[in-house]
Amino acid sequence: MNTEDRFAGERLRESPFHPRQSALNLREAWSSWNGYKFADYYYDAEYEYFCIRNTCGTYDITPMQKYEISGPDAEAMLNRMVTRDVSKLGINRVTYVCWCTDEGRMIDDGTIFRLADDRFMLTCGSPSVAWLRKSVLGFDQMTVRDVTDETAALSLQGPTSCTVLQQMGLEDIATLKPFGIAHFPFHGGSLMVSRTGFTGDLGYELWVTPELALTLWDVLYAAGENYGIHPYGETATNMARLEAGFIMPDMEFNEALKTVHFEHDHTPYELSLGWLVDFKKPHFNGRKALLAEKQQGPHYTLVKLDIEGNKVADGSWLYSDKACRKKIGYVTSAMWSPSAKANIALAMIETPRLNGSVWAEIYYEKELRYYEKVARCEIKDQPFWAPARARQTPPPPF
């Protein structure tokens, strides 16, 4: 870490879990997320990745933006703002959503937690206060409150995660279905657990007040001592989410309110999120533009690629022909997948070219010399990592 980064880190807020995380961050590998000091990795990113896939790990999601939306108009407001039908969401359930400008360009994605008939929590990666203020116009019987700093949250992911929570005393946790929410008494307060995550594996997210954060950490790590629990950072998260085929802002998409150049942002259909758009519900932001795009087809489509060889296609151009190299798209994220034993990527490809050949132009370094190769790509329909345990209720014992 250079001097500038070190002093920048001293100005960042610290998560309620920071005292425990700091002791374990042997590399002092910190960055920032929404004004919080945040771990890139703790000691070795690949070790942390294998904890997610083989045992379990914790990821601090306190910096994620959280908004409490409550009141008689809360459901109607959210239904106008997001593309999915919120009225179908049951109490103590979570759903994945996105929201768009009137031009159908995606502002952000996130999750909505329904905590009561008239109370929701919206979570997202970037601050959304300005857009929420615009979205509440015309809805007088509701309030929107930023509860980011009032809520400490840990993501617990991996095959041993359910067993660890049972060891912690949450005996009924095995009956919680994917995208479900459960509430437990916890040391004079309450603990909310959602069966959600960003790794494509079995996992949960734990939500408490900041005052109970260190207690939660200590109890959780005591329960997980024999089950391989370990913290993981942003680098391991990015590896796991890519295998699961999940999109990441600033990698797969640019947020529409932050772009400068025309159409350097994206639509849900371009990101293969058309299943999030429900035209059967009443009017919502971007409906007209999205309906036209559904009928005409998007310019680009996000796809999953299996690329021959083992040279990672990071930042590669994609071509329809190996020889003439006519550009048809570009890679957004790429890695060698240790679990799938494959060279994988997410990529944007011109929609009319999806049924043709795809080749990736890859540049790589070997012993201080740079080489080029053009590798054949195969478009895949399914995620590269999607174990059955992620969907099973109860999860299989580990």
Side-chain angles (χ1 to χ4, degrees), residues 127-386:
S128 294
V129 173
W131 190 256
L132 284 167
R133 285 175 178 167
K134 293 180 179 179
S135 299
V136 301
L137 292 174
F139 298 101
D140 300 324
Q141 300 183 67
M142 60 165 298
T143 58
V144 176
R145 197 164 64 88
D146 188 340
V147 295
T148 302
D149 296 338
E150 300 174 20
T151 310
L154 277 181
S155 184
L156 174 69
Q157 303 287 307
T160 65
S161 56
C162 183
T163 303
V164 169
L165 292 179
Q166 289 175 315
Q167 293 293 316
M168 201 176 100
L170 310 185
E171 296 180 359
D172 296 333
I173 196 64
T175 63
L176 187 63
K177 295 180 180 180
F179 293 97
I181 302 170
H183 302 269
F184 301 90
F186 185 75
H187 290 261
S190 64
L191 169 65
M192 184 173 78
V193 181
S194 57
R195 190 168 165 183
T196 48
F198 197 51
T199 64
D201 212 316
L202 174 65
Y204 302 84
E205 292 174 336
L206 315 178
W207 313 78
V208 293
T209 60
E211 295 76 20
L212 291 173
L214 293 183
T215 301
L216 172 61
W217 183 284
D218 293 341
V219 172
L220 183 64
Y221 270 73
E225 183 178 4
N226 295 326
Y227 297 92
I229 194 169
H230 192 281
Y232 63 94
E234 183 69 8
T235 303
T237 299
N238 194 42
M239 295 172 69
R241 70 90 195 170
L242 176 50
E243 288 179 333
F246 297 155
I247 63 173
M248 180 82 85
D250 298 324
M251 300 189 79
E252 275 63 57
F253 74 99
N254 291 313
E255 298 168 19
L257 301 182
K258 297 180 180 179
T259 55
V260 175
H261 297 286
F262 179 65
E263 291 188 349
H264 278 206
D265 50 14
H266 304 80
T267 72
Y269 286 103
E270 289 179 335
L271 295 167
S272 294
L273 295 178
W275 56 277
L276 288 182
V277 183
D278 190 342
F279 292 109
K280 295 180 181 179
K281 72 169 187 171
H283 177 75
F284 56 90
N285 289 353
R287 188 184 195 282
K288 182 178 179 180
L290 290 172
L291 183 59
E293 185 177 40
K294 181 183 179 181
Q295 295 167 345
Q296 299 168 6
H299 297 306
Y300 283 90
T301 299
L302 184 72
V303 299
K304 293 174 278 289
L305 295 180
D306 187 347
I307 304 172
E308 68 177 3
N310 61 1
K311 303 304 180 186
V312 176
D314 211 6
S316 294
W317 285 110
L318 300 176
Y319 302 110
S320 60
D321 184 274
K322 184 177 182 179
C324 71
R325 300 196 186 183
K326 177 177 174 56
K327 291 179 182 176
I328 61 170
Y330 57 93
V331 169
T332 60
S333 300
M335 66 178 283
W336 172 260
S337 167
S339 295
K341 301 295 187 292
N343 191 15
I344 68 173
L346 294 179
M348 282 288 188
I349 294 180
E350 294 174 2
T351 303
R353 303 284 187 172
L354 292 177
N355 294 322
S357 298
V358 180
W359 298 82
E361 181 181 65
I362 303 173
Y363 292 86
Y364 62 96
E365 180 265 336
K366 183 190 294 184
E367 295 179 340
L368 302 181
R369 297 193 181 187
Y370 283 88
Y371 296 85
E372 172 199 7
K373 67 177 293 186
V374 180
R376 184 184 296 275
C377 305
E378 182 181 356
I379 296 176
K380 294 291 187 178
D381 294 328
Q382 300 300 317
F384 295 99
W385 185 259

Side-chain angles (χ1 to χ4, degrees), residues 65-90 93-100 107-124 128-129 131-145 276-278 281-287:
Q65 299 297 284
K66 313 168 198 77
Y67 302 97
E68 182 186 75
I69 300 169
S70 58
D73 286 342
E75 180 187 289
M77 186 282 285
L78 285 171
N79 231 9
R80 189 181 72 178
M81 181 177 122
V82 305
T83 61
R84 205 165 190 177
D85 192 347
V86 178
S87 68
K88 297 178 181 178
L89 184 63
R93 296 290 297 169
V94 187
T95 192
Y96 176 52
V97 297
C98 66
W99 51 101
C100 301
I107 296 171
D108 206 349
D109 64 345
T111 53
I112 291 178
F113 292 59
R114 186 163 204 158
L115 305 176
D117 278 333
D118 61 353
R119 187 162 67 92
F120 301 82
M121 182 172 71
L122 172 69
T123 72
C124 50
S128 294
V129 173
W131 190 256
L132 284 167
R133 285 175 178 167
K134 293 180 179 179
S135 299
V136 301
L137 292 174
F139 298 101
D140 300 324
Q141 300 183 67
M142 60 165 298
T143 58
V144 176
R145 197 164 64 88
L276 288 182
V277 183
D278 190 342
K281 72 169 187 171
H283 177 75
F284 56 90
N285 289 353
R287 188 184 195 282

